[in-house]
Amino acid sequence: MSEMSVMKALNLAMFEEMVADEKVICIGEDLGKQGGCWGTFTGLQEKFGENRVLEFPILEAGYTLFSVGAALGGYRPIVEFMFADFVTLGFEGIVDIAAKIRFNSGGVDSCPVTFVLPQGGGGKSGAHHSQSVEAWFANVPGLKIVAPTTPADIRAYYRAAIRDDDPTLFIYQRATMGLTGEVPDVLDEVPSLAKAGKIVKTGADLTVVAYHRALLNAMAAAAQVEEETGKTIEIIDPRVLIPFDKEIVFDSVKKTGRLMVAHEAPERGGFGAQILSWVVENCMKELKAAPVRVAGVNSIIPFGDLEKYLYPSVEDMKAGILKALK
Amino acid sequence: MNFSNEELLEMYSDIVKSRVLGEKIVEYIFSGKIAGAIHPCLGQEAVSAGILTAFKKSDIITYGTETHRAQTVMAHRVGWKPFIAELLGRTGGCNDGISGEYHIHDLKNGQLPAAGALGGTWAEIAGFAWALKNDGKKRQIGFAPYGDGAISQGATYEAMNIAALFKLPILFFIENNGIAMSTPVENQSPLENLADRAAAFNMKGVTVDGDDPVAVAEAVLNGMELAANNEPNVVEVKTMRWEGHYVGDPQKYRDLSYKEDLDSICPVVRFEKRLIELGILDDEIIKAVRESQTKEIVDGFDEGLSQTIATKEQVLDYNRVYSNNAGGEL
Ligand SMILES: Cc1ncc(C[n+]2csc(CCOP(=O)(O)OP(=O)(O)O)c2C)c(N)n1
Ligand SMILES: [Mg+2]
């Protein structure tokens, strides 16, 4: 085990997969001497060369589509968008092309591209550099969405996303790049994307499902509520949104009878609505109260410190937990 | 470039085959046997014949994202019967009649995934061409076709930039038929020759008469050689669309007086005259070619129509959407 930041875990995962499979290539802007906008590609071009770490001009639409062609040519591209927001430019390549490759080939060809999306608030950079994009893609069959939070999970599930043969969005919270945690020196087995849910903490009175910074805030709020009320709260990190580990959530809700879902993306049409629907459809008998969502405000993200009005804080999480417990 | 008499006769067969296919597509659409809006290549047959000639004459292997009006090239790649069955949505199609002619995809036969959404596939081909080059595959190139309309999409510029920057083996091919749906090319671009766009990326670009299959074949062969030497380039061919955008399009948006004397602008008639002058074609051969090509295409349609359509289970098969059982449900 060693203590490592999210940033280092991202770098390690790519390094390991590039060693394991020479067909893994990286595509994005400033990936050369700069090591990527966030430093997550540090040392990779030096080690693996310019033909495996391809530095591109600013043409997200072009290199998203390029990655699909390279995948059809036998490669396994990792495509970085500096900010998840810029994936709007890659929408055609991801939604119309990558997601349909397998279907239109009659199940013959796969499209093993990993699209890397650093997302969400914390950077105080406003409307075009702070959005959360998972729900934009959750409605597109053919894609997978991986969204881990801790350094150890990021290392393991990034590797799993790269290995997966389908087009996969790997989404992480940019603001938690410096978050540190214990990461095993060797990953014994790259996990499957199926059944990826993890019970972060067990409890009996409420189930909380959350990811990214919302997970961290919900954990802090839950600790306070437990202290104050004596109730215990079960917290689940889904780690992968598609395919979603429904069973782990259903089993928990059947035990606790209560649910809160939290994320930073806007509430309306957010992935939390999907989780809630599944739970209501499958656990109605066991539910003791209406499930609760805590999410971003349905508005535009302002610049600077003002962004705090948009994203769910620890206090918002606490209010949500107390409401769900009523 | 010289073409032997045999090659010219085969070129003639191909131009006729293209014509017959276009006519049959119109016929089968009107009789309700083909679903969806299909865009026939009537008037543009010399383009396909020229491309096919170049493909057959050269030792260079091409991978292309043909779609739309390039039915003859798609059929050449995936096979005529699998192509026609796909067009008809039947299970003998190269994609089981499920993907459809718009999204034809058959990598083993050089057909890269075509896209119903126009604009992106040039950049997709750039990625594939990069893989060919990176793997050291000599004399294998990407063939990137689009119409005069599709090339206004921004991704085509990005694709040319990528290709020029990484020196990729690609031929960008513009089939300029003077119109995109209802919009004439003058309303889409200030350029007289669309191949001039190549200059912005320091690439070679040529424009030739797209109603002359020999000129098309020569330009494509030259462009393929350049591409095989990692010199991406642009070939534009100028032709004319006879039909509406789709079959049954009343075309209220343009002057239809050209229809009064189609023979005077017909690329098939023009090529016939030339070959007759050269003494390698006569009425008897013309008749025989027409009959044999019609028979092959009609047989293809008959065979396709005798096949079933895919079942709901086939269409909704999880393995058709995802590569592994992570999740196990759609
Ligand atoms: C992104 C996108 N926009 C619009 C369309 C609808 N559309 C299909 S074909 C076409 C015209 C294309 O013109 P051109 O590229 O010149 O090809 P042509 O039909 O003349 O062969 C249009 C607008 C589309 N398929 N994709
Ligand atoms: Mg056109």
Side-chain angles (χ1 to χ4, degrees), chain A residues 62 75 102-104 109-110 142 144 166 246, chain B residues 95 99 105 124 135 158 319-320 322-324 329:
Chain A
Y75 286 81
R102 190 166 173 85
F103 185 82
N104 283 331
D109 294 318
S110 299
K144 291 173 179 170
D166 291 318
K246 295 178 189 171
Chain B
N95 304 113
S99 309
H105 177 146
E124 173 193 312
D135 288 344
E158 298 186 16
N319 295 308
R320 210 180 177 91
Y322 292 107
S323 302
N324 53 58
E329 61 176 9

mmCIF file with all atom_site columns, all heavy atoms in Angstrom, chain A residues 62 75 102-104 109-110 142 144 166 246, chain B residues 95 99 105 124 135 158 319-320 322-324 329:
data_model
loop_
_atom_site.group_PDB
_atom_site.id
_atom_site.type_symbol
_atom_site.label_atom_id
_atom_site.label_alt_id
_atom_site.label_comp_id
_atom_site.label_asym_id
_atom_site.label_entity_id
_atom_site.label_seq_id
_atom_site.pdbx_PDB_ins_code
_atom_site.Cartn_x
_atom_site.Cartn_y
_atom_site.Cartn_z
_atom_site.occupancy
_atom_site.B_iso_or_equiv
_atom_site.pdbx_formal_charge
_atom_site.auth_seq_id
_atom_site.auth_comp_id
_atom_site.auth_asym_id
_atom_site.auth_atom_id
_atom_site.pdbx_PDB_model_num
ATOM 1   N N   . GLY A 1 62  ? -12.667 16.259  -34.076 1.00 0.00 ? 62  GLY A N   1
ATOM 2   C CA  . GLY A 1 62  ? -11.792 15.473  -34.940 1.00 0.00 ? 62  GLY A CA  1
ATOM 3   C C   . GLY A 1 62  ? -11.128 14.321  -34.214 1.00 0.00 ? 62  GLY A C   1
ATOM 4   O O   . GLY A 1 62  ? -11.124 13.192  -34.694 1.00 0.00 ? 62  GLY A O   1
ATOM 5   N N   . TYR A 1 75  ? -6.512  -0.513  -32.245 1.00 0.00 ? 75  TYR A N   1
ATOM 6   C CA  . TYR A 1 75  ? -5.936  0.166   -31.073 1.00 0.00 ? 75  TYR A CA  1
ATOM 7   C C   . TYR A 1 75  ? -6.985  0.345   -29.974 1.00 0.00 ? 75  TYR A C   1
ATOM 8   O O   . TYR A 1 75  ? -8.171  0.076   -30.173 1.00 0.00 ? 75  TYR A O   1
ATOM 9   C CB  . TYR A 1 75  ? -5.330  1.523   -31.499 1.00 0.00 ? 75  TYR A CB  1
ATOM 10  C CG  . TYR A 1 75  ? -4.028  1.295   -32.243 1.00 0.00 ? 75  TYR A CG  1
ATOM 11  C CD1 . TYR A 1 75  ? -4.033  0.947   -33.599 1.00 0.00 ? 75  TYR A CD1 1
ATOM 12  C CD2 . TYR A 1 75  ? -2.814  1.347   -31.582 1.00 0.00 ? 75  TYR A CD2 1
ATOM 13  C CE1 . TYR A 1 75  ? -2.856  0.678   -34.280 1.00 0.00 ? 75  TYR A CE1 1
ATOM 14  C CE2 . TYR A 1 75  ? -1.624  1.085   -32.253 1.00 0.00 ? 75  TYR A CE2 1
ATOM 15  C CZ  . TYR A 1 75  ? -1.646  0.753   -33.597 1.00 0.00 ? 75  TYR A CZ  1
ATOM 16  O OH  . TYR A 1 75  ? -0.481  0.483   -34.259 1.00 0.00 ? 75  TYR A OH  1
ATOM 17  N N   . ARG A 1 102 ? -20.668 -1.380  -32.620 1.00 0.00 ? 102 ARG A N   1
ATOM 18  C CA  . ARG A 1 102 ? -20.928 -2.803  -32.443 1.00 0.00 ? 102 ARG A CA  1
ATOM 19  C C   . ARG A 1 102 ? -22.258 -3.186  -33.083 1.00 0.00 ? 102 ARG A C   1
ATOM 20  O O   . ARG A 1 102 ? -22.359 -4.178  -33.802 1.00 0.00 ? 102 ARG A O   1
ATOM 21  C CB  . ARG A 1 102 ? -20.912 -3.162  -30.956 1.00 0.00 ? 102 ARG A CB  1
ATOM 22  C CG  . ARG A 1 102 ? -20.937 -4.651  -30.766 1.00 0.00 ? 102 ARG A CG  1
ATOM 23  C CD  . ARG A 1 102 ? -20.598 -5.081  -29.370 1.00 0.00 ? 102 ARG A CD  1
ATOM 24  N NE  . ARG A 1 102 ? -20.818 -6.502  -29.285 1.00 0.00 ? 102 ARG A NE  1
ATOM 25  C CZ  . ARG A 1 102 ? -19.928 -7.427  -29.636 1.00 0.00 ? 102 ARG A CZ  1
ATOM 26  N NH1 . ARG A 1 102 ? -18.745 -7.068  -30.072 1.00 0.00 ? 102 ARG A NH1 1
ATOM 27  N NH2 . ARG A 1 102 ? -20.210 -8.712  -29.541 1.00 0.00 ? 102 ARG A NH2 1
ATOM 28  N N   . PHE A 1 103 ? -23.258 -2.395  -32.834 1.00 0.00 ? 103 PHE A N   1
ATOM 29  C CA  . PHE A 1 103 ? -24.585 -2.698  -33.373 1.00 0.00 ? 103 PHE A CA  1
ATOM 30  C C   . PHE A 1 103 ? -24.558 -2.763  -34.899 1.00 0.00 ? 103 PHE A C   1
ATOM 31  O O   . PHE A 1 103 ? -25.016 -3.738  -35.498 1.00 0.00 ? 103 PHE A O   1
ATOM 32  C CB  . PHE A 1 103 ? -25.586 -1.631  -32.910 1.00 0.00 ? 103 PHE A CB  1
ATOM 33  C CG  . PHE A 1 103 ? -26.998 -1.936  -33.309 1.00 0.00 ? 103 PHE A CG  1
ATOM 34  C CD1 . PHE A 1 103 ? -27.767 -2.805  -32.552 1.00 0.00 ? 103 PHE A CD1 1
ATOM 35  C CD2 . PHE A 1 103 ? -27.559 -1.375  -34.446 1.00 0.00 ? 103 PHE A CD2 1
ATOM 36  C CE1 . PHE A 1 103 ? -29.065 -3.107  -32.920 1.00 0.00 ? 103 PHE A CE1 1
ATOM 37  C CE2 . PHE A 1 103 ? -28.861 -1.677  -34.821 1.00 0.00 ? 103 PHE A CE2 1
ATOM 38  C CZ  . PHE A 1 103 ? -29.622 -2.536  -34.056 1.00 0.00 ? 103 PHE A CZ  1
ATOM 39  N N   . ASN A 1 104 ? -24.015 -1.724  -35.514 1.00 0.00 ? 104 ASN A N   1
ATOM 40  C CA  . ASN A 1 104 ? -24.068 -1.676  -36.970 1.00 0.00 ? 104 ASN A CA  1
ATOM 41  C C   . ASN A 1 104 ? -23.144 -2.688  -37.634 1.00 0.00 ? 104 ASN A C   1
ATOM 42  O O   . ASN A 1 104 ? -23.318 -2.994  -38.818 1.00 0.00 ? 104 ASN A O   1
ATOM 43  C CB  . ASN A 1 104 ? -23.798 -0.260  -37.475 1.00 0.00 ? 104 ASN A CB  1
ATOM 44  C CG  . ASN A 1 104 ? -25.018 0.636   -37.308 1.00 0.00 ? 104 ASN A CG  1
ATOM 45  O OD1 . ASN A 1 104 ? -26.152 0.158   -37.330 1.00 0.00 ? 104 ASN A OD1 1
ATOM 46  N ND2 . ASN A 1 104 ? -24.799 1.915   -37.122 1.00 0.00 ? 104 ASN A ND2 1
ATOM 47  N N   . ASP A 1 109 ? -17.553 -6.052  -34.659 1.00 0.00 ? 109 ASP A N   1
ATOM 48  C CA  . ASP A 1 109 ? -16.483 -5.151  -34.210 1.00 0.00 ? 109 ASP A CA  1
ATOM 49  C C   . ASP A 1 109 ? -16.874 -4.453  -32.914 1.00 0.00 ? 109 ASP A C   1
ATOM 50  O O   . ASP A 1 109 ? -18.037 -4.127  -32.697 1.00 0.00 ? 109 ASP A O   1
ATOM 51  C CB  . ASP A 1 109 ? -16.197 -4.086  -35.281 1.00 0.00 ? 109 ASP A CB  1
ATOM 52  C CG  . ASP A 1 109 ? -15.619 -4.704  -36.535 1.00 0.00 ? 109 ASP A CG  1
ATOM 53  O OD1 . ASP A 1 109 ? -14.759 -5.586  -36.402 1.00 0.00 ? 109 ASP A OD1 1
ATOM 54  O OD2 . ASP A 1 109 ? -16.053 -4.333  -37.644 1.00 0.00 ? 109 ASP A OD2 1
ATOM 55  N N   . SER A 1 110 ? -15.886 -4.206  -32.086 1.00 0.00 ? 110 SER A N   1
ATOM 56  C CA  . SER A 1 110 ? -16.107 -3.442  -30.863 1.00 0.00 ? 110 SER A CA  1
ATOM 57  C C   . SER A 1 110 ? -15.432 -2.087  -31.006 1.00 0.00 ? 110 SER A C   1
ATOM 58  O O   . SER A 1 110 ? -14.683 -1.851  -31.935 1.00 0.00 ? 110 SER A O   1
ATOM 59  C CB  . SER A 1 110 ? -15.518 -4.170  -29.663 1.00 0.00 ? 110 SER A CB  1
ATOM 60  O OG  . SER A 1 110 ? -16.145 -5.411  -29.511 1.00 0.00 ? 110 SER A OG  1
ATOM 61  N N   . GLY A 1 142 ? -25.356 1.645   -25.637 1.00 0.00 ? 142 GLY A N   1
ATOM 62  C CA  . GLY A 1 142 ? -24.087 1.356   -26.308 1.00 0.00 ? 142 GLY A CA  1
ATOM 63  C C   . GLY A 1 142 ? -22.892 1.918   -25.563 1.00 0.00 ? 142 GLY A C   1
ATOM 64  O O   . GLY A 1 142 ? -21.767 1.512   -25.810 1.00 0.00 ? 142 GLY A O   1
ATOM 65  N N   . LYS A 1 144 ? -20.874 2.911   -21.821 1.00 0.00 ? 144 LYS A N   1
ATOM 66  C CA  . LYS A 1 144 ? -20.761 2.591   -20.402 1.00 0.00 ? 144 LYS A CA  1
ATOM 67  C C   . LYS A 1 144 ? -20.228 3.826   -19.682 1.00 0.00 ? 144 LYS A C   1
ATOM 68  O O   . LYS A 1 144 ? -19.512 4.628   -20.286 1.00 0.00 ? 144 LYS A O   1
ATOM 69  C CB  . LYS A 1 144 ? -19.828 1.394   -20.196 1.00 0.00 ? 144 LYS A CB  1
ATOM 70  C CG  . LYS A 1 144 ? -20.434 0.100   -20.730 1.00 0.00 ? 144 LYS A CG  1
ATOM 71  C CD  . LYS A 1 144 ? -19.469 -1.056  -20.683 1.00 0.00 ? 144 LYS A CD  1
ATOM 72  C CE  . LYS A 1 144 ? -20.152 -2.318  -21.208 1.00 0.00 ? 144 LYS A CE  1
ATOM 73  N NZ  . LYS A 1 144 ? -19.186 -3.420  -21.397 1.00 0.00 ? 144 LYS A NZ  1
ATOM 74  N N   . ASP A 1 166 ? -15.982 -1.950  -24.869 1.00 0.00 ? 166 ASP A N   1
ATOM 75  C CA  . ASP A 1 166 ? -17.006 -1.017  -25.359 1.00 0.00 ? 166 ASP A CA  1
ATOM 76  C C   . ASP A 1 166 ? -16.590 0.425   -25.112 1.00 0.00 ? 166 ASP A C   1
ATOM 77  O O   . ASP A 1 166 ? -15.752 0.699   -24.263 1.00 0.00 ? 166 ASP A O   1
ATOM 78  C CB  . ASP A 1 166 ? -18.334 -1.303  -24.651 1.00 0.00 ? 166 ASP A CB  1
ATOM 79  C CG  . ASP A 1 166 ? -18.908 -2.635  -25.080 1.00 0.00 ? 166 ASP A CG  1
ATOM 80  O OD1 . ASP A 1 166 ? -18.861 -2.936  -26.292 1.00 0.00 ? 166 ASP A OD1 1
ATOM 81  O OD2 . ASP A 1 166 ? -19.368 -3.401  -24.213 1.00 0.00 ? 166 ASP A OD2 1
ATOM 82  N N   . LYS A 1 246 ? -27.646 -2.596  -9.525  1.00 0.00 ? 246 LYS A N   1
ATOM 83  C CA  . LYS A 1 246 ? -28.950 -2.371  -8.880  1.00 0.00 ? 246 LYS A CA  1
ATOM 84  C C   . LYS A 1 246 ? -29.095 -3.198  -7.604  1.00 0.00 ? 246 LYS A C   1
ATOM 85  O O   . LYS A 1 246 ? -29.637 -2.718  -6.607  1.00 0.00 ? 246 LYS A O   1
ATOM 86  C CB  . LYS A 1 246 ? -30.082 -2.750  -9.835  1.00 0.00 ? 246 LYS A CB  1
ATOM 87  C CG  . LYS A 1 246 ? -30.179 -1.875  -11.074 1.00 0.00 ? 246 LYS A CG  1
ATOM 88  C CD  . LYS A 1 246 ? -31.310 -2.374  -11.957 1.00 0.00 ? 246 LYS A CD  1
ATOM 89  C CE  . LYS A 1 246 ? -31.299 -1.684  -13.289 1.00 0.00 ? 246 LYS A CE  1
ATOM 90  N NZ  . LYS A 1 246 ? -32.233 -2.289  -14.242 1.00 0.00 ? 246 LYS A NZ  1
ATOM 91  N N   . ASN B 2 95  ? -25.162 -6.732  -42.883 1.00 0.00 ? 95  ASN B N   1
ATOM 92  C CA  . ASN B 2 95  ? -25.385 -6.465  -41.462 1.00 0.00 ? 95  ASN B CA  1
ATOM 93  C C   . ASN B 2 95  ? -26.766 -6.975  -41.048 1.00 0.00 ? 95  ASN B C   1
ATOM 94  O O   . ASN B 2 95  ? -27.489 -6.325  -40.276 1.00 0.00 ? 95  ASN B O   1
ATOM 95  C CB  . ASN B 2 95  ? -25.207 -4.980  -41.149 1.00 0.00 ? 95  ASN B CB  1
ATOM 96  C CG  . ASN B 2 95  ? -23.844 -4.453  -41.585 1.00 0.00 ? 95  ASN B CG  1
ATOM 97  O OD1 . ASN B 2 95  ? -23.741 -3.633  -42.486 1.00 0.00 ? 95  ASN B OD1 1
ATOM 98  N ND2 . ASN B 2 95  ? -22.781 -4.976  -40.999 1.00 0.00 ? 95  ASN B ND2 1
ATOM 99  N N   . SER B 2 99  ? -28.758 -2.935  -39.822 1.00 0.00 ? 99  SER B N   1
ATOM 100 C CA  . SER B 2 99  ? -28.108 -1.616  -39.810 1.00 0.00 ? 99  SER B CA  1
ATOM 101 C C   . SER B 2 99  ? -28.607 -0.728  -40.942 1.00 0.00 ? 99  SER B C   1
ATOM 102 O O   . SER B 2 99  ? -28.762 0.476   -40.770 1.00 0.00 ? 99  SER B O   1
ATOM 103 C CB  . SER B 2 99  ? -26.599 -1.776  -39.940 1.00 0.00 ? 99  SER B CB  1
ATOM 104 O OG  . SER B 2 99  ? -26.133 -2.697  -38.985 1.00 0.00 ? 99  SER B OG  1
ATOM 105 N N   . HIS B 2 105 ? -21.405 -1.522  -42.758 1.00 0.00 ? 105 HIS B N   1
ATOM 106 C CA  . HIS B 2 105 ? -20.181 -1.716  -41.972 1.00 0.00 ? 105 HIS B CA  1
ATOM 107 C C   . HIS B 2 105 ? -19.696 -3.137  -42.201 1.00 0.00 ? 105 HIS B C   1
ATOM 108 O O   . HIS B 2 105 ? -20.376 -4.085  -41.839 1.00 0.00 ? 105 HIS B O   1
ATOM 109 C CB  . HIS B 2 105 ? -20.532 -1.481  -40.480 1.00 0.00 ? 105 HIS B CB  1
ATOM 110 C CG  . HIS B 2 105 ? -19.393 -1.705  -39.529 1.00 0.00 ? 105 HIS B CG  1
ATOM 111 N ND1 . HIS B 2 105 ? -19.253 -0.970  -38.388 1.00 0.00 ? 105 HIS B ND1 1
ATOM 112 C CD2 . HIS B 2 105 ? -18.351 -2.574  -39.530 1.00 0.00 ? 105 HIS B CD2 1
ATOM 113 C CE1 . HIS B 2 105 ? -18.174 -1.364  -37.721 1.00 0.00 ? 105 HIS B CE1 1
ATOM 114 N NE2 . HIS B 2 105 ? -17.614 -2.349  -38.397 1.00 0.00 ? 105 HIS B NE2 1
ATOM 115 N N   . GLU B 2 124 ? -12.942 9.880   -38.780 1.00 0.00 ? 124 GLU B N   1
ATOM 116 C CA  . GLU B 2 124 ? -12.898 8.463   -38.404 1.00 0.00 ? 124 GLU B CA  1
ATOM 117 C C   . GLU B 2 124 ? -11.860 7.742   -39.282 1.00 0.00 ? 124 GLU B C   1
ATOM 118 O O   . GLU B 2 124 ? -11.033 6.970   -38.785 1.00 0.00 ? 124 GLU B O   1
ATOM 119 C CB  . GLU B 2 124 ? -14.302 7.873   -38.592 1.00 0.00 ? 124 GLU B CB  1
ATOM 120 C CG  . GLU B 2 124 ? -14.414 6.375   -38.402 1.00 0.00 ? 124 GLU B CG  1
ATOM 121 C CD  . GLU B 2 124 ? -15.767 5.877   -38.937 1.00 0.00 ? 124 GLU B CD  1
ATOM 122 O OE1 . GLU B 2 124 ? -16.811 6.477   -38.609 1.00 0.00 ? 124 GLU B OE1 1
ATOM 123 O OE2 . GLU B 2 124 ? -15.758 4.905   -39.704 1.00 0.00 ? 124 GLU B OE2 1
ATOM 124 N N   . ASP B 2 135 ? 1.106   0.683   -38.009 1.00 0.00 ? 135 ASP B N   1
ATOM 125 C CA  . ASP B 2 135 ? 1.388   -0.756  -38.062 1.00 0.00 ? 135 ASP B CA  1
ATOM 126 C C   . ASP B 2 135 ? 2.315   -1.115  -39.224 1.00 0.00 ? 135 ASP B C   1
ATOM 127 O O   . ASP B 2 135 ? 2.556   -2.297  -39.470 1.00 0.00 ? 135 ASP B O   1
ATOM 128 C CB  . ASP B 2 135 ? 0.077   -1.550  -38.192 1.00 0.00 ? 135 ASP B CB  1
ATOM 129 C CG  . ASP B 2 135 ? -0.730  -1.535  -36.898 1.00 0.00 ? 135 ASP B CG  1
ATOM 130 O OD1 . ASP B 2 135 ? -0.154  -1.180  -35.854 1.00 0.00 ? 135 ASP B OD1 1
ATOM 131 O OD2 . ASP B 2 135 ? -1.933  -1.867  -36.941 1.00 0.00 ? 135 ASP B OD2 1
ATOM 132 N N   . GLU B 2 158 ? -11.152 19.441  -39.722 1.00 0.00 ? 158 GLU B N   1
ATOM 133 C CA  . GLU B 2 158 ? -10.301 18.868  -38.674 1.00 0.00 ? 158 GLU B CA  1
ATOM 134 C C   . GLU B 2 158 ? -9.612  17.612  -39.201 1.00 0.00 ? 158 GLU B C   1
ATOM 135 O O   . GLU B 2 158 ? -8.437  17.367  -38.922 1.00 0.00 ? 158 GLU B O   1
ATOM 136 C CB  . GLU B 2 158 ? -11.142 18.566  -37.425 1.00 0.00 ? 158 GLU B CB  1
ATOM 137 C CG  . GLU B 2 158 ? -11.759 19.822  -36.834 1.00 0.00 ? 158 GLU B CG  1
ATOM 138 C CD  . GLU B 2 158 ? -12.480 19.614  -35.509 1.00 0.00 ? 158 GLU B CD  1
ATOM 139 O OE1 . GLU B 2 158 ? -12.286 18.579  -34.861 1.00 0.00 ? 158 GLU B OE1 1
ATOM 140 O OE2 . GLU B 2 158 ? -13.244 20.523  -35.125 1.00 0.00 ? 158 GLU B OE2 1
ATOM 141 N N   . ASN B 2 319 ? -25.743 -8.868  -27.119 1.00 0.00 ? 319 ASN B N   1
ATOM 142 C CA  . ASN B 2 319 ? -24.393 -8.959  -27.680 1.00 0.00 ? 319 ASN B CA  1
ATOM 143 C C   . ASN B 2 319 ? -24.202 -8.126  -28.935 1.00 0.00 ? 319 ASN B C   1
ATOM 144 O O   . ASN B 2 319 ? -23.086 -7.959  -29.414 1.00 0.00 ? 319 ASN B O   1
ATOM 145 C CB  . ASN B 2 319 ? -24.045 -10.417 -27.976 1.00 0.00 ? 319 ASN B CB  1
ATOM 146 C CG  . ASN B 2 319 ? -23.971 -11.203 -26.702 1.00 0.00 ? 319 ASN B CG  1
ATOM 147 O OD1 . ASN B 2 319 ? -23.276 -10.820 -25.776 1.00 0.00 ? 319 ASN B OD1 1
ATOM 148 N ND2 . ASN B 2 319 ? -24.748 -12.274 -26.627 1.00 0.00 ? 319 ASN B ND2 1
ATOM 149 N N   . ARG B 2 320 ? -25.288 -7.643  -29.469 1.00 0.00 ? 320 ARG B N   1
ATOM 150 C CA  . ARG B 2 320 ? -25.192 -6.767  -30.618 1.00 0.00 ? 320 ARG B CA  1
ATOM 151 C C   . ARG B 2 320 ? -24.887 -5.330  -30.178 1.00 0.00 ? 320 ARG B C   1
ATOM 152 O O   . ARG B 2 320 ? -24.483 -4.502  -30.978 1.00 0.00 ? 320 ARG B O   1
ATOM 153 C CB  . ARG B 2 320 ? -26.535 -6.805  -31.354 1.00 0.00 ? 320 ARG B CB  1
ATOM 154 C CG  . ARG B 2 320 ? -26.392 -6.589  -32.799 1.00 0.00 ? 320 ARG B CG  1
ATOM 155 C CD  . ARG B 2 320 ? -27.741 -6.634  -33.493 1.00 0.00 ? 320 ARG B CD  1
ATOM 156 N NE  . ARG B 2 320 ? -27.466 -6.345  -34.875 1.00 0.00 ? 320 ARG B NE  1
ATOM 157 C CZ  . ARG B 2 320 ? -27.214 -7.264  -35.787 1.00 0.00 ? 320 ARG B CZ  1
ATOM 158 N NH1 . ARG B 2 320 ? -27.317 -8.530  -35.490 1.00 0.00 ? 320 ARG B NH1 1
ATOM 159 N NH2 . ARG B 2 320 ? -26.889 -6.913  -37.008 1.00 0.00 ? 320 ARG B NH2 1
ATOM 160 N N   . TYR B 2 322 ? -23.441 -4.581  -26.729 1.00 0.00 ? 322 TYR B N   1
ATOM 161 C CA  . TYR B 2 322 ? -22.264 -4.555  -25.855 1.00 0.00 ? 322 TYR B CA  1
ATOM 162 C C   . TYR B 2 322 ? -21.390 -5.776  -26.109 1.00 0.00 ? 322 TYR B C   1
ATOM 163 O O   . TYR B 2 322 ? -21.874 -6.834  -26.493 1.00 0.00 ? 322 TYR B O   1
ATOM 164 C CB  . TYR B 2 322 ? -22.696 -4.516  -24.384 1.00 0.00 ? 322 TYR B CB  1
ATOM 165 C CG  . TYR B 2 322 ? -23.362 -3.210  -23.998 1.00 0.00 ? 322 TYR B CG  1
ATOM 166 C CD1 . TYR B 2 322 ? -24.737 -3.146  -23.769 1.00 0.00 ? 322 TYR B CD1 1
ATOM 167 C CD2 . TYR B 2 322 ? -22.619 -2.043  -23.872 1.00 0.00 ? 322 TYR B CD2 1
ATOM 168 C CE1 . TYR B 2 322 ? -25.345 -1.938  -23.422 1.00 0.00 ? 322 TYR B CE1 1
ATOM 169 C CE2 . TYR B 2 322 ? -23.220 -0.844  -23.522 1.00 0.00 ? 322 TYR B CE2 1
ATOM 170 C CZ  . TYR B 2 322 ? -24.577 -0.790  -23.293 1.00 0.00 ? 322 TYR B CZ  1
ATOM 171 O OH  . TYR B 2 322 ? -25.162 0.385   -22.957 1.00 0.00 ? 322 TYR B OH  1
ATOM 172 N N   . SER B 2 323 ? -20.096 -5.609  -25.836 1.00 0.00 ? 323 SER B N   1
ATOM 173 C CA  . SER B 2 323 ? -19.122 -6.650  -26.164 1.00 0.00 ? 323 SER B CA  1
ATOM 174 C C   . SER B 2 323 ? -18.971 -7.716  -25.102 1.00 0.00 ? 323 SER B C   1
ATOM 175 O O   . SER B 2 323 ? -18.395 -8.752  -25.345 1.00 0.00 ? 323 SER B O   1
ATOM 176 C CB  . SER B 2 323 ? -17.747 -6.027  -26.371 1.00 0.00 ? 323 SER B CB  1
ATOM 177 O OG  . SER B 2 323 ? -17.801 -5.086  -27.383 1.00 0.00 ? 323 SER B OG  1
ATOM 178 N N   . ASN B 2 324 ? -19.375 -7.418  -23.882 1.00 0.00 ? 324 ASN B N   1
ATOM 179 C CA  . ASN B 2 324 ? -19.213 -8.418  -22.833 1.00 0.00 ? 324 ASN B CA  1
ATOM 180 C C   . ASN B 2 324 ? -20.400 -8.313  -21.900 1.00 0.00 ? 324 ASN B C   1
ATOM 181 O O   . ASN B 2 324 ? -21.179 -7.364  -21.979 1.00 0.00 ? 324 ASN B O   1
ATOM 182 C CB  . ASN B 2 324 ? -17.899 -8.208  -22.088 1.00 0.00 ? 324 ASN B CB  1
ATOM 183 C CG  . ASN B 2 324 ? -17.775 -6.787  -21.581 1.00 0.00 ? 324 ASN B CG  1
ATOM 184 O OD1 . ASN B 2 324 ? -18.613 -6.321  -20.821 1.00 0.00 ? 324 ASN B OD1 1
ATOM 185 N ND2 . ASN B 2 324 ? -16.756 -6.077  -22.018 1.00 0.00 ? 324 ASN B ND2 1
ATOM 186 N N   . GLU B 2 329 ? -27.769 -6.663  -19.293 1.00 0.00 ? 329 GLU B N   1
ATOM 187 C CA  . GLU B 2 329 ? -29.085 -6.241  -19.775 1.00 0.00 ? 329 GLU B CA  1
ATOM 188 C C   . GLU B 2 329 ? -28.904 -4.979  -20.587 1.00 0.00 ? 329 GLU B C   1
ATOM 189 O O   . GLU B 2 329 ? -27.924 -4.259  -20.439 1.00 0.00 ? 329 GLU B O   1
ATOM 190 C CB  . GLU B 2 329 ? -30.031 -5.970  -18.598 1.00 0.00 ? 329 GLU B CB  1
ATOM 191 C CG  . GLU B 2 329 ? -29.526 -4.864  -17.689 1.00 0.00 ? 329 GLU B CG  1
ATOM 192 C CD  . GLU B 2 329 ? -30.499 -4.517  -16.570 1.00 0.00 ? 329 GLU B CD  1
ATOM 193 O OE1 . GLU B 2 329 ? -31.491 -5.224  -16.381 1.00 0.00 ? 329 GLU B OE1 1
ATOM 194 O OE2 . GLU B 2 329 ? -30.246 -3.509  -15.904 1.00 0.00 ? 329 GLU B OE2 1
#
